[in-house]
Amino acid sequence: MADRARRKRRRLSRSGEFERVYREGRSHASRHLVVYAFPRSEDDDDEPRLGVSVGRKVGGAVERNRMKRLLREAFWSSAEELREGHDFVIVARPDASELARQGGEQAIEAELRRVLHEAGLAEGEEPKA
């Protein structure tokens, strides 16, 4: 139960939280993804929190839910490299569905890492092209 409560805090769930990241955060984009990042208060050095947005242009409900799952898994697999105390919102563009079909989870993860590194939000070694 404690793990479940801990996970709950690592997610953005309210529309106000999303709006704050959209309005006050900085965006970094590629052909497939847009990443919005917002640093929380100075004294909040907690783990990063994530929100995911996948619109109808990506596909039907099944495809959108699959894309959300892939994005969450890709984000949390690279979470150790991310700056602490930030809120992130990842928006999947319509081309992301084609990337997921061709390359699966590995392609989504590589694209997300590339955007995060280019934006200066991730530390560690630069992902290979």
Side-chain angles (χ1 to χ4, degrees):
M1 184 76 164
D3 185 46
R4 185 174 180 202
R6 195 172 135 242
R7 269 186 178 254
K8 193 74 168 166
R9 282 180 282 160
R10 293 172 49 184
R11 270 188 153 165
L12 300 178
S13 57
R14 295 191 174 106
S15 64
E17 294 172 330
F18 276 80
E19 284 300 316
R20 189 188 71 218
V21 176
Y22 287 138
R23 265 195 327 264
E24 300 176 29
R26 298 190 61 184
S27 66
H28 311 279
S30 73
R31 178 178 165 204
H32 304 98
L33 303 172
V34 180
V35 176
Y36 291 87
F38 175 72
R40 294 190 304 268
S41 65
E42 293 291 326
D43 57 316
D44 190 2
D45 282 342
D46 207 8
E47 293 178 325
R49 296 189 310 169
L50 174 66
V52 177
S53 176
V54 179
R56 284 185 177 165
K57 289 184 179 180
V58 172
V62 171
E63 193 161 352
R64 289 195 312 269
N65 288 332
R66 178 175 181 262
M67 180 61 64
K68 288 183 212 176
R69 181 180 52 80
L70 291 174
L71 288 169
R72 284 188 200 107
E73 289 174 5
F75 182 84
W76 292 119
S77 70
S78 60
E80 286 91 33
E81 300 171 13
L82 298 174
R83 292 188 181 167
E84 290 183 343
H86 277 68
D87 287 342
F88 295 90
V89 174
I90 302 172
V91 179
R93 289 184 163 171
D95 288 340
S97 62
E98 187 61 33
L99 179 67
R101 269 195 295 277
Q102 290 177 353
E105 184 179 341
Q106 293 82 12
I108 294 292
E109 184 174 339
E111 182 69 10
L112 179 59
R113 284 179 188 262
R114 187 178 67 75
V115 173
L116 291 169
H117 275 279
E118 287 177 2
L121 296 167
E123 298 151 0
E125 81 179 51
E126 192 75 23
K128 295 164 184 77

